[in-house]
Amino acid sequence: MERRLRVAGGKTLALDLRCQGDEVVGIRISGDFFFYPEEGLERLEAYLVEKKVWRTDDPEREIASFLSENGYRAVGFGPSDLAFLLRGLRC
């Protein structure tokens, strides 16, 4: 399953979901952006699934905190864009 969003500046942000039954077991983030350091993107994807961030009261805050605490930076999308794609997420 895939979700897409056109973010500010006309860039695309996409989530590819891997499901087992009703559970999300994997998320891949792709699109027109840069992520520093590059290997942090996989950690972010794993964090989203492990913490089931889409079920939290404030996904944007969770994502922003994770990025800040780990010194990660996304250029081309923000925590609010990713949180928007995650809202109501289900398989």
Side-chain angles (χ1 to χ4, degrees):
M1 175 199 278
E2 182 180 84
R3 290 182 163 201
R4 288 186 170 270
L5 174 68
R6 183 137 342 244
V7 298
K11 305 287 187 185
T12 300
L13 179 64
L15 289 182
D16 293 311
L17 308 176
R18 197 175 66 228
C19 301
Q20 282 185 348
D22 293 343
E23 287 295 312
V24 176
V25 295
I27 292 177
R28 183 164 186 272
I29 304 167
S30 61
D32 304 321
F33 63 85
F34 295 98
F35 199 90
Y36 302 103
E38 220 173 278
E39 60 274 3
L41 185 59
E42 288 180 15
R43 288 200 56 218
L44 172 59
E45 293 166 343
Y47 173 80
L48 296 174
V49 173
E50 288 168 13
K51 299 294 183 177
K52 299 191 184 323
V53 171
W54 57 92
R55 292 183 181 166
T56 65
D57 291 333
D58 192 351
E60 182 178 348
R61 182 177 46 82
E62 292 284 333
I63 295 163
S65 293
F66 177 81
L67 295 175
S68 176
E69 290 168 7
N70 290 283
Y72 297 151
R73 189 167 62 103
V75 177
F77 75 89
S80 62
D81 300 316
L82 190 50
F84 180 83
L85 284 175
L86 288 170
R87 283 190 184 95
L89 188 68
R90 61 188 156 153
C91 291

